[in-house]
Amino acid sequence: MVETASTIDTRLPAYLRLRDDLAARIAAGEWRTDEALPSDNRLARDGGLSVGTVRKAVQMLVDEGLLERRQGSGTYLRKPAFNATLFRFFQMRDAGSGQSIPTSRLLSRSRVKAPDSVAKVLGTDDVIRIERLRDFADKPFLSEDIYIPANLFAGFEMIPDNEVGPLLYPVYLDRFDVFVASADDEVSFGTADEITAARLEIKPGEAVAVIERTAYSIKGIPIEWRIARGPANRFRYRSRIG
Amino acid sequence: MVETASTIDTRLPAYLRLRDDLAARIAAGEWRTDEALPSDNRLARDGGLSVGTVRKAVQMLVDEGLLERRQGSGTYLRKPAFNATLFRFFQMRDAGSGQSIPTSRLLSRSRVKAPDSVAKVLGTDDVIRIERLRDFADKPFLSEDIYIPANLFAGFEMIPDNEVGPLLYPVYLDRFDVFVASADDEVSFGTADEITAARLEIKPGEAVAVIERTAYSIKGIPIEWRIARGPANRFRYRSRIG
DNA sequence: AAATGAAAGTTATATATAGAACTGGTTGAC
DNA sequence: GTCAACCAGTTCTATATATAACTTTCATTT
């Protein structure tokens, strides 16, 4: 059940090999989000390929949301819209156009042995656990419990608090070259236990919304599992299907 | 703000025109799900196009989930998996592998003037309203209020109850050639009013999950708006992001 | 009866090429 | 100085062609 990460280049079709190569170079930070990749023609010459093949490879990365093509201009990295895509739950119902990123308080980070259910999802029980509290409109509204594999995020628990921004996924990318490409969310409903209630400043037993999320890399390898709880009456979750 | 439905063929690119043409013929029921469409070569000859252009059009429909290509064999209609894709909320948490389609009871159907908020979404206030109650494991678990534009679904309210199956989207497709391609869901939590409580057999004021859904055609035209309520403690909503 | 092989038809991959549509900058006329 | 024209570079659309990989069918051989 071991997933060797970068088994590149078996005898895959050329367009897939180019896609993988580009994806790797993107992850390696070879280009910035403002200025941009070699042109189709250039990639074709360099790779000894035809333009059609190059376009097919690039188009895949566009479909996957990594790249963005601008006709007449070039092909660019898409600035990951963490906000809009992967962080859109708990948009406050009366917040109007605010759209502000909520602030985060790190409560703890430690390397621990993961609970069975988490270990099963991540494929290892050697994990780093992060406890976090997020505020919105000066009130706590999300209590989070996050698990990430220690082998992928070696040393994460040592990073000074002030170097960890309000969003984790950019940190994963910048410091560990781990890109969160997709996620499964599961929303349900429960009641607050003592600890959660204290953090959220509500009474134990009050209704909370529960979001369990598993985040995956482009290759589909699970990167993170988290469970988040917030007051049910302030909760709103949006999802696009299809 | 009027959307003329089938403004085909402006001077769109050839591959888009072919895509639209095929989509229309699919919706018209020209092919069945078992045996299948003309080959790439055939479509190219018939349309006076090159194979590359045809492949691009067909690929779009594959990406949209309408078609399915089988190498060496042909291109086939995909049987829409209504169950898995558009009807996955309220999977009961302890139902195990049941996966059974819940039963439906139609409570009312009538042509009415839509509330403002609904009219705004659908673009018309001439709608048909459907009230429905869905059961699971012999208990009511979803009370639904559904609105569809009367012009798209003329005569829907006349169809005998027993000819409306437990799932609405196949009915839309079979009888009205309306294909639901995507949807926006919005999940929140609230409390049951008198009517909802009676239907769900719970007490007024008890916690309910609320799902508001807007469903769209392939062209992005809103087709249906619904609001559904169910007991919060039995609720579980899954969503894939990215 | 079962295995083999050939053939035709299909999608999948890849190349080469051409012009259209668009962008961003530079040049030149006024 | 301003505006228009041009230009080089880019993506986008479309064609034509060739070969590989695969499926299905049918005839032949064993």
Side-chain angles (χ1 to χ4, degrees), chain B residues 97-230:
Chain B
S97 57
Q99 269 295 30
S100 65
I101 296 174
T103 58
S104 289
R105 270 181 286 163
L106 289 170
L107 302 181
S108 82
R109 278 178 289 162
S110 57
R111 187 156 177 179
V112 300
K113 183 169 177 305
D116 281 355
S117 62
V118 177
K120 199 171 156 197
V121 172
L122 294 180
T124 174
D125 65 358
D126 183 13
V127 301
I128 295 163
R129 180 188 185 194
I130 306 160
E131 289 179 293
R132 190 166 74 154
L133 189 59
R134 318 189 86 196
D135 294 323
F136 189 87
D138 291 330
K139 288 183 176 185
F141 81 98
L142 244 202
S143 165
E144 292 181 309
D145 223 337
I146 303 170
Y147 297 86
I148 53 181
N151 64 332
L152 284 180
F153 295 94
F156 182 91
E157 73 276 22
M158 320 282 216
I159 302 176
D161 273 21
N162 57 27
E163 292 182 25
V164 179
L167 263 24
L168 282 183
Y169 293 166
V171 178
Y172 294 170
L173 182 59
D174 291 345
R175 304 187 77 120
F176 300 95
D177 282 348
V178 173
F179 181 77
V180 173
S182 66
D184 278 329
D185 279 359
E186 204 164 319
V187 179
S188 59
F189 292 100
T191 53
D193 60 25
E194 294 281 346
I195 295 172
T196 305
R199 288 196 183 149
L200 295 177
E201 298 175 7
I202 61 178
K203 296 197 198 78
E206 272 194 48
V208 292
V210 181
I211 307 102
E212 291 160 86
R213 165 178 294 180
T214 310
Y216 299 92
S217 72
I218 297 178
K219 304 234 180 202
I221 300 171
I223 285 172
E224 177 205 71
W225 186 86
R226 63 169 70 179
I227 185 166
R229 285 172 250 254

Side-chain angles (χ1 to χ4, degrees), chain A residues 6-236:
Chain A
S6 49
T7 36
I8 322 175
D9 231 67
T10 35
R11 222 69 276 148
L12 290 171
Y15 74 95
L16 282 182
R17 271 177 283 154
L18 176 56
R19 190 220 80 106
D20 288 352
D21 179 52
L22 287 176
R25 291 167 71 185
I26 290 168
E30 187 163 335
W31 303 285
R32 306 203 154 269
T33 109
D34 47 347
E35 280 307 304
L37 283 67
S39 73
D40 293 354
N41 280 323
R42 190 64 203 275
L43 287 174
R45 276 198 294 112
D46 291 358
L49 299 169
S50 79
V51 178
T53 304
V54 169
R55 283 187 64 80
K56 193 164 179 180
V58 172
Q59 190 55 47
M60 289 193 71
L61 294 169
V62 171
D63 292 340
E64 290 169 20
L66 283 189
L67 296 179
E68 175 184 332
R69 317 198 68 161
R70 299 186 206 147
Q71 182 174 172
S73 177
T75 304
Y76 301 79
L77 240 71
R78 227 188 65 174
K79 27 189 168 302
F82 292 106
N83 226 356
T85 63
L86 284 175
F87 250 95
R88 62 202 163 165
F89 54 53
F90 274 92
Q91 304 214 330
M92 293 302 97
R93 66 176 51 173
D94 44 19
S97 57
Q99 269 295 31
S100 64
I101 296 174
T103 57
S104 289
R105 270 182 285 161
L106 289 171
L107 302 181
S108 81
R109 278 178 289 161
S110 57
R111 185 155 177 182
V112 300
K113 184 169 177 303
D116 282 354
S117 62
V118 176
K120 199 171 154 195
V121 172
L122 294 181
T124 174
D125 64 358
D126 183 12
V127 301
I128 296 163
R129 180 187 185 194
I130 306 159
E131 289 180 292
R132 190 166 74 154
L133 189 60
R134 319 189 87 195
D135 293 323
F136 188 88
D138 290 329
K139 289 184 175 183
F141 80 98
L142 244 201
S143 165
E144 292 181 308
D145 220 340
I146 303 170
Y147 297 88
I148 53 181
N151 63 332
L152 284 180
F153 296 95
F156 182 91
E157 74 274 23
M158 322 283 216
I159 302 175
D161 273 22
N162 57 28
E163 291 182 26
V164 179
L167 261 25
L168 282 183
Y169 294 165
V171 179
Y172 294 170
L173 182 59
D174 292 343
R175 304 186 78 119
F176 301 95
D177 280 349
V178 173
F179 181 77
V180 173
S182 66
D184 279 328
D185 279 0
E186 204 163 316
V187 179
S188 59
F189 178 84
T191 53
D193 60 23
E194 295 282 347
I195 297 172
T196 305
R199 291 198 181 146
L200 295 176
E201 297 175 9
I202 61 178
K203 296 197 199 79
E206 271 195 49
V208 292
V210 181
I211 307 102
E212 292 160 87
R213 166 178 293 180
T214 310
Y216 300 92
S217 74
I218 297 177
K219 304 235 178 203
I221 299 171
I223 285 172
E224 178 205 70
W225 186 85
R226 63 169 70 179
I227 185 165
R229 285 171 250 255
N233 57 352
R234 301 175 68 193
F235 175 75
R236 184 146 284 230

Side-chain angles (χ1 to χ4, degrees), chain B residues 13-15 48-50 53 56 71-73:
Chain B
Y15 74 95
L49 300 170
S50 79
T53 304
K56 193 164 178 181
Q71 182 175 167
S73 177

